[in-house]
Amino acid sequence: MIQIRNLKKRFRNNTVLDGIDLDINEGDVVGIIGPSGTGKSTLLRCIDLLETPEEGEITIDGAVYSLAEHDRRQTLALRRQTGMVFQRFNLFERKTALENVMEGLVTVQKKPKEEARMLAEGELKRVGMYDWSEHYPKHLSGGQQQRVAIARALAMKPKLLLLDEPTSALDPELVGEVLETIRDIASQGFTMMLVSHEMNFVRKVANRVIFLDGGKIVEDGTPREVFDRPKSQRAKDFFAKMHLLKQPEYTI
Amino acid sequence: MMMQILSETNLFDFGLVGRQLPELLKYLPITLELALLSMLIGLAVGLLLAVIRMKRIPVLRQIAAFYISIIRGTPAIVQLYIAYFGIPMLLKYMNLHFGTDFDISAFPGFACAVFAMGFNESAYNAETIRAALSSVDRGQIEAASAVGMTYPQALRRIILPEAMTVALPGLGNSFIGLIKGTSLAFTCAVVEMTAQGKILGGRNYRYFEVYVSLAIIYWAVTIIVERILKFIEKRLELPEQIDKKAAAAEEPEKARTFTKEAKVRYDTNKKPEKAFSQ
């Protein structure tokens, strides 16, 4: 059980998150959608303390962490509970795929090299990248890099996996393999928060969808409830726009 | 014609240029020691200054900026003299004030020279290293934090190895400058190669010849250092291409496990406890 309470984040005068409360059950896959600039990514980054919010706390398995005030020890403790997958993969450039996955196991969890290697190879197999273990990021396509990044995050056995628009930096033809990987790990019972613009994917993979607007949770429910019967006007407008985009430019 | 005049008039003694080389080369180790030790100090202090400025640590940051400004704003030879006269004065003050018992007259000029040149070097290295550190993509640092690494861990394992490839040409350049800069160490009463050259020249007043010999040695050393740097640069390069893991051929079963399992899972993609709305 993960509880987020009263998360508030401002950038100067711009309130990005305006008191977010969220309870996430173990094994939940929470899709976060909404117009751009409504704090979807900021929400994830605050949970991982890559941004420091003004207020807010998170409880993971009974342990309470303040998001607003934290010393170095608390920061590390929280980060060790969470895993992050970035939009731009952010693999370590000078390390092979295998070393990327091993890095946290060795330096953070202080596992012996051999054990770390075995675990890392297991994770690479899980995302179908085992054959590319010895390759450096520059040898890999965007989709492959993202799969390694997912393996890197999973290797740390996070209680909560945060995926920040994992496919938006990819060429369209590479999106599929990454979505497949995410769907695969979602079905394995990892608790995840997923920010994505791939509405159809969110619909398929998430068992709960949150619509953020103006720093607040506007819709919260099963994919069917949110996508098919949105209650708020804002969400209705948003989906209408998305559908408009999908229509042909003109018809004869 | 020119050669004839030179050899007949004894204006320039070709032979001496070569004959003096062994005498000068005896002092090459001192020159190299000076350069290497100063470079070590320069790298360590330079890295410290660079991190202070990168992380914008209050107070320390202002001190670092002030320090760099002073060091870069004064000539190396002045700094050497200040170290040579200043360090013994400092020791004497400490003897008087704290009752310590340093032997001031025994304090080696060599150490003064290394101090002065090392700290001089650090100010220049700080800027090179800072530029290299900031060239590392912020995303990787975030990724390291997200994995749970502390900043020192990220610095050592992720940032520095990558920054090093960027900093290497600049640092190499300043090391080459430093090797030649050691010729100022005579100010601290250190007899290194150039100082020995002056002594040799003083014996027979063949100063021109001795400086030509020195020029040849410094040039040769620089060429060797350039080679070494090239070699290191090559070593740091990531391989252009890597063959797909040979293990795939060794254990075809293992490699394919994922796809098989996954396929079964996708075919029967039903999770009773988690109804995906499809």
Side-chain angles (χ1 to χ4, degrees):
Chain A
M1 181 74 164
I2 292 157
Q3 295 167 310
I4 297 163
R5 286 289 169 271
N6 193 31
L7 180 53
K8 282 186 182 168
K9 173 71 185 167
R10 257 197 336 261
F11 289 115
R12 291 174 195 265
N13 293 329
N14 182 16
T15 303
V16 184
L17 296 174
D18 193 6
I20 300 281
D21 293 310
L22 193 58
D23 288 5
I24 302 168
N25 293 315
E26 208 176 308
D28 265 356
V29 177
V30 182
I32 301 166
I33 57 170
S36 52
T38 49
K40 305 186 295 291
S41 293
T42 309
L43 174 59
L44 296 196
R45 292 173 62 83
C46 283
I47 294 173
D48 213 24
L49 294 178
L50 294 173
E51 308 280 353
T52 298
E54 279 75 45
E55 278 178 62
E57 59 177 43
I58 184 167
T59 311
I60 299 178
D61 285 350
V64 186
Y65 303 89
S66 166
L67 295 172
E69 284 157 32
H70 42 84
D71 59 27
R72 194 145 26 139
R73 199 176 47 80
Q74 290 161 325
T75 308
L76 292 177
L78 175 55
R79 279 179 181 160
R80 283 166 194 182
Q81 307 272 342
T82 55
M84 185 92 167
V85 173
F86 298 89
Q87 187 177 354
R88 295 218 45 90
F89 338 129
N90 295 350
L91 289 185
F92 307 133
E93 299 288 337
R94 293 197 61 81
K95 293 191 183 293
T96 63
L98 183 68
E99 288 166 347
N100 262 280
V101 182
M102 282 172 65
E103 187 58 34
L105 296 170
V106 174
T107 47
V108 178
Q109 298 187 350
K110 309 280 181 217
K111 288 205 161 63
K113 265 240 164 74
E114 266 320 298
E115 191 191 342
R117 167 183 292 270
M118 262 175 45
L119 289 170
E121 284 179 349
E123 294 302 337
L124 284 174
K125 279 175 195 156
R126 196 207 291 271
V127 298
M129 286 297 294
Y130 177 67
D131 290 355
W132 305 86
S133 299
E134 305 305 323
H135 290 242
Y136 288 92
K138 71 166 185 176
H139 300 124
L140 303 175
S141 74
Q144 290 173 325
Q145 289 190 45
Q146 192 61 297
R147 280 150 68 195
V148 174
I150 291 170
R152 177 175 67 181
L154 289 180
M156 304 301 288
K157 299 267 173 294
K159 300 239 170 74
L160 176 63
L161 183 63
L162 308 162
L163 298 123
D164 185 6
E165 302 191 25
T167 57
S168 14
L170 293 175
D171 288 343
E173 55 176 341
L174 302 176
V175 170
E177 56 179 290
V178 173
L179 294 185
E180 199 167 298
T181 307
I182 294 171
R183 185 150 98 163
D184 192 42
I185 55 173
S187 70
Q188 291 171 24
F190 285 96
T191 311
M192 312 196 319
M193 288 173 82
L194 165 71
V195 171
S196 181
H197 293 293
E198 305 276 339
M199 293 303 157
N200 286 324
F201 177 65
V202 171
R203 196 183 178 118
K204 272 186 207 142
V205 81
N207 63 338
R208 179 176 170 194
V209 175
I210 283 169
F211 186 97
L212 274 188
D213 184 45
K216 285 195 160 71
I217 296 177
V218 183
E219 301 271 345
D220 182 359
T222 65
R224 204 175 284 262
E225 285 167 352
V226 174
F227 283 111
D228 299 342
R229 294 184 298 277
K231 283 170 278 202
S232 66
Q233 193 53 43
R234 191 68 193 85
K236 280 178 197 161
D237 291 349
F238 180 73
F239 292 131
K241 243 184 223 160
M242 300 288 286
H243 290 309
L244 276 180
L245 284 176
K246 288 216 178 88
Q247 283 174 1
E249 274 177 39
Y250 59 88
T251 47
I252 300 168
Chain B
M1 182 66 188
M2 191 177 110
M3 293 309 240
Q4 203 182 354
I5 292 175
L6 285 177
S7 59
E8 278 171 10
T9 56
N10 200 16
L11 189 61
F12 177 56
D13 190 344
F14 270 112
L16 188 60
V17 171
R19 282 200 305 282
Q20 286 179 145
L21 286 180
E23 195 64 28
L24 291 170
L25 282 172
K26 272 189 214 159
Y27 289 84
L28 179 62
I30 298 184
T31 293
L32 292 180
E33 256 173 64
L34 275 172
L36 283 172
L37 289 175
S38 310
M39 194 65 190
L40 280 183
I41 293 182
L43 284 176
V45 180
L47 176 62
L48 192 71
L49 291 169
V51 171
I52 287 171
R53 298 195 75 183
M54 273 281 288
K55 296 285 284 179
R56 300 175 176 281
I57 301 168
V59 187
L60 285 183
R61 182 168 71 116
Q62 280 83 0
I63 294 174
F66 182 62
Y67 168 86
I68 291 174
S69 165
I70 288 187
I71 297 279
R72 290 204 300 188
T74 51
I77 195 163
V78 172
Q79 292 164 12
L80 279 157
Y81 276 125
I82 287 181
Y84 186 56
F85 293 115
I87 292 175
M89 275 170 74
L90 183 73
L91 292 179
K92 192 168 184 179
Y93 172 81
M94 281 165 71
N95 281 349
L96 292 172
H97 198 266
F98 302 108
T100 48
D101 193 23
F102 292 116
D103 186 355
I104 296 158
S105 56
F107 194 79
F110 184 84
C112 294
V114 167
F115 264 119
M117 290 191 298
F119 284 108
N120 178 282
E121 191 67 9
S122 72
Y124 294 92
N125 286 353
E127 294 298 288
T128 312
I129 296 172
R130 186 171 67 104
L133 289 179
S134 49
S135 79
V136 176
D137 177 29
R138 258 211 74 70
Q140 284 182 64
I141 304 169
E142 283 191 347
S145 322
V147 166
M149 290 163 85
T150 61
Y151 185 77
Q153 281 174 336
L155 188 69
R156 194 163 50 83
R157 311 259 324 172
I158 310 295
I159 305 170
L160 276 183
E162 210 181 320
M164 201 157 71
T165 56
V166 182
L168 192 69
L171 293 177
N173 216 358
S174 70
F175 181 61
I176 288 172
L178 186 59
I179 292 174
K180 293 168 293 175
T182 55
S183 59
L184 290 176
F186 70 88
T187 50
C188 294
V190 178
V191 180
E192 40 66 62
M193 228 164 35
T194 303
Q196 177 61 15
K198 283 180 185 162
I199 293 168
L200 288 183
R203 283 186 199 153
N204 52 15
Y205 295 105
R206 286 284 181 185
Y207 280 107
F208 182 74
E209 284 79 355
V210 89
Y211 283 121
V212 171
S213 310
L214 281 173
I216 292 169
I217 297 175
Y218 279 113
W219 186 34
V221 169
T222 304
I223 288 175
I224 293 169
V225 171
E226 277 171 353
R227 282 283 156 88
I228 295 172
L229 286 170
K230 269 256 160 58
F231 175 75
I232 298 176
E233 233 168 287
K234 263 258 139 43
R235 283 292 300 273
L236 287 177
E237 256 172 39
L238 296 178
E240 212 37 68
Q241 211 178 342
I242 289 178
D243 292 328
K244 229 170 151 188
K245 203 168 168 65
E250 274 167 39
E251 315 172 67
E253 282 316 305
K254 251 185 184 170
R256 221 172 292 146
T257 327
F258 163 76
T259 29
K260 265 188 209 159
E261 269 181 9
K263 190 163 181 344
V264 173
R265 219 169 14 241
Y266 294 136
D267 289 348
T268 58
N269 192 3
K270 277 177 211 138
K271 286 213 71 195
E273 72 279 7
K274 242 197 259 173
F276 293 149
S277 59
Q278 262 177 304

